[in-house]
């Protein structure tokens, strides 16, 4: 299972696009490729749609998003 975190710009911290990342790890034939999101569950939806064409399962591990100005989590 391989999971990546995207920035709000839609790229991995390394600068890769999601599909460039998928292409770079597909040779390992993972059980799943997915996202663990740093900016909330709703922000993952367009990127999860991009993963619908991968030839393995898709995983999704949303977290509480980024903290608000009070240091608390809204999700």
């Amino acid at each position: 299972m391989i999971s990546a975190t995207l920035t709000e710009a839609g790229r991995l911290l390394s600068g890769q696009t999601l599909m460039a990342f998928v292409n770079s790890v597909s040779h390992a034939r993972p059980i799943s490729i997915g996202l663990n999101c740093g900016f909330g569950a709703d922000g993952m939806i367009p990127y999860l749609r991009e993963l619908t064409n991968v030839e393995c399962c898709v995983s999704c591990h949303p977290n509480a998003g980024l903290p608000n100005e009070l240091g608390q989590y809204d999700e």
Side-chain angles (χ1 to χ4, degrees):
M1 297 176 73
I2 301 173
S3 186
T5 299
L6 294 175
T7 66
E8 289 188 51
R11 293 182 175 263
L12 278 71
L13 297 175
S14 65
Q16 282 182 303
T17 64
L18 178 57
M19 294 317 293
F21 168 71
V22 168
N23 289 332
S24 70
V25 299
S26 292
H27 72 280
R29 299 176 58 195
I31 294 168
S32 68
I33 297 176
L35 298 174
N36 50 64
C37 186
F39 53 93
D42 288 342
M44 296 176 79
I45 294 170
Y47 302 105
L48 290 169
R49 286 189 179 121
E50 279 188 55
L51 292 176
T52 58
N53 294 321
V54 299
E55 294 189 19
C56 62
C57 294
V58 173
S59 63
C60 174
H61 305 278
N63 63 14
L66 297 173
N68 63 25
E69 53 278 344
L70 300 174
Q72 298 178 352
Y73 296 88
D74 297 325
E75 293 193 34

